[in-house]
Amino acid sequence: MPSVDPAADPPPARGGAYDYSGPVRWEYSPELDHDPDPGEVVWTWVAFEDDPSIGKDRPVAVVGRTDDRRLVALMLSSKGHDGDRDWMSIGSGPWDREGRESWVRRDRMLAVSASAVRREGAIIPRTTYDAIISGLKAATPTGPQKTAAASTPSTGASTGLWHRLRGLFSRS
């Protein structure tokens, strides 16, 4: 079925960011060297939740790595999300040329290979990175760990990152 979203694009040949629910190695190691690292905002194609065969190019905050060295990221948006518990304001930063407030989506974790990142945007300040991780921690009973054991995520349309993280970190 063709997409009705005019912003939707098919996945690029080199892949993109897709939903992820496995173990995460939380890491802050940004270095603007044309190689995406945890602690940076980067741009990549992100699959839509309702139809992973389409998506769009967007900024993501890289927060860690998977066991197979893919980047773990959370989507960013400049659209206001006041009162939405699944989004957290991280203020403005050099990743947005217009200086708009940015919001990170905490209920959908993504994984993307470094080769599928279109460009680096900016380094996330360490205090902002820590706030993102603390925001994830506050949303789960045990919070993020350095390394989390894999578990089977919950199923169902309403499950989000909170439920997946709770399952991931309950075995640490």
Side-chain angles (χ1 to χ4, degrees):
M1 167 187 261
S3 170
V4 294
D5 185 339
D9 293 316
R14 63 185 178 164
Y18 294 89
D19 290 342
Y20 179 72
S21 62
V24 176
R25 288 192 319 265
W26 306 101
E27 175 183 328
Y28 183 81
S29 57
E31 187 177 338
L32 291 181
D33 57 1
H34 304 290
D35 183 26
D37 304 299
E40 296 176 3
V41 172
V42 301
W43 270 255
T44 188
W45 182 89
V46 176
F48 290 158
E49 278 182 287
D50 56 344
D51 184 352
S53 69
I54 55 174
K56 70 178 190 176
D57 194 58
R58 64 179 313 125
V60 297
V62 181
V63 295
R65 295 187 190 273
T66 66
D67 286 344
D68 65 0
R69 305 290 296 155
R70 287 177 294 158
L71 303 167
V72 175
L74 303 170
M75 292 183 352
L76 290 182
S77 176
S78 58
K79 178 183 172 193
H81 288 277
D82 284 326
D84 187 339
R85 69 184 185 105
D86 294 333
W87 291 82
M88 175 182 140
S89 173
I90 59 167
S92 61
W95 53 84
D96 185 280
R97 290 184 183 141
E98 296 176 32
R100 298 172 292 187
E101 179 178 17
S102 294
W103 297 78
V104 64
R105 184 171 176 184
R106 301 183 297 177
D107 70 334
R108 185 177 181 212
M109 193 176 298
L110 304 166
V112 61
S113 69
S115 65
V117 170
R118 185 173 60 81
R119 71 176 172 96
E120 289 176 294
I123 292 175
I124 301 168
R126 181 62 193 239
T127 55
T128 303
Y129 175 87
D130 290 343
I132 293 168
I133 299 305
S134 292
L136 293 173
K137 185 182 232 179
T140 61
T142 58
Q145 307 293 320
K146 286 272 185 197
T147 302
S151 71
T152 305
S154 304
T155 58
S158 65
T159 60
L161 181 59
W162 310 135
H163 299 289
R164 289 184 273 178
L165 285 173
R166 189 172 299 127
L168 288 171
F169 300 126
S170 64
R171 297 184 185 183
S172 51

